[in-house]
Amino acid sequence: MVASKPNARVPIELCAEGLAKRFGSEVVLENLDLEVASGELIAIVGASGCGKTVLLHLLIGLHQPSAGRVLARHHGWPEAPLVDLSTLDETGLEDIRLSWSVVFQHNALFAGSVYDNCAIWLREHPHLDEAIIRTRVREALADVGLDVDEVIEKERGQLSGGMAKRVAVARALVPDPMVIFYDEPTTGLDPMFGAQIQELIWSTHHRPRQDGQLRTSVIVSHDRELLRRLHPRVVMLHEAGICFDGPYDAFCALEEGPPHDYMLQMPGLHARPPREALRAAPHGA
Ligand SMILES: Nc1ncnc2c1ncn2[C@@H]1O[C@H](COP(=O)(O)OP(=O)(O)OP(=O)(O)O)[C@@H](O)[C@H]1O
Ligand SMILES: [Mg+2]
């Protein structure tokens, strides 16, 4: 169950080795290697349909690889070893996922109120009473820019697309996860709310954890403004593999090839938000 890979000084949080995913005759990913160290902020980019969501779902164990494997750090164990996800049963996967949160591309809110959606993981916690949970949920909804009293009792079907996206982000942040996976966290948001979510991703990533461990953020995005603000490590998918893996500045500096072409076409949030909307924007607001 435990892979032999030794933990380095900065531990590896996630690792894909020779990863492939095929659907019938369609090869989505082939022989892909990727290491994500603890504390990294990483953006996965690439053209629509290139396999970003599939890769994310492989990393969180929702898809089974056609070949290769995914290793993840198991925070529930004292030494936090790397574990091959394919060796885990549903309970084992649930244990690992206790330290993860996911913002799904289409939000994946379940039927029930906004409050129920956001409270779900904290309610699993045996020592938290409902008043504390309510406070945490209200804070998270306020953090994503929602009018808390207006939305908290709304049902999923009563939310606009942008509201649902922000609820999905709030739900992911409520449990204070160690690793956060965001699939298109700003898609469908107007520039001001998009900027607020970008800032929230940044501040959440850097907010110290009580246990002193580093947080890791993996973001799938088409949002050029998000990259510009967060300066992540950029991993670009192209033709079933990784065509670029490096710092944001190096990604921008390329003058030819798929990353360059992609950057030219990459949608951004077209209007710039007012400066005062960005309380502490991380990079060059
Ligand atoms: N469950 C599935 N069954 C069959 N094919 C699938 C499945 N999931 C994804 N695919 C295919 O895999 C390819 C990659 O899909 P994926 O959703 O990862 O794209 P993406 O890069 O996230 O695109 P977008 O930016 O539009 O979200 C697509 O051709 C898609 O049709
Ligand atoms: Mg996708």
Side-chain angles (χ1 to χ4, degrees), residues 48-49 51-54 105-106 183-184 220 222:
S48 200
K52 303 180 297 296
T53 295
V54 167
Q105 182 165 9
H106 302 295
D183 195 347
E184 310 268 5
V220 167
H222 279 299

Side-chain angles (χ1 to χ4, degrees), residues 4 24 38 87 130 138 146 167 191 272:
S4 56
S38 184
T87 64
E130 201 66 24
R138 291 183 68 88
L146 287 164
V167 170
R272 296 281 291 277

Side-chain angles (χ1 to χ4, degrees), residues 128-203:
L128 285 182
D129 67 32
E130 201 66 24
I132 294 173
I133 294 175
R134 188 160 282 274
T135 304
R136 293 261 291 267
V137 168
R138 291 183 68 88
E139 283 168 2
L141 291 171
D143 281 347
V144 295
L146 287 164
D147 178 331
V148 180
D149 292 323
E150 189 200 326
V151 301
I152 195 160
E153 294 307 334
K154 275 191 165 42
E155 294 290 313
R156 175 179 63 173
Q158 298 174 301
L159 303 172
S160 73
M163 282 165 129
K165 177 62 78 183
R166 285 182 283 154
V167 170
V169 174
R171 178 177 67 178
L173 301 186
V174 163
D176 195 25
M178 190 89 75
V179 186
I180 315 179
F181 301 89
Y182 303 87
D183 195 347
E184 310 268 5
T186 55
T187 300
L189 299 183
D190 70 27
M192 183 140 144
F193 286 130
Q196 193 166 2
I197 296 297
Q198 292 157 11
E199 187 199 336
L200 187 60
I201 291 171
W202 174 268
S203 56

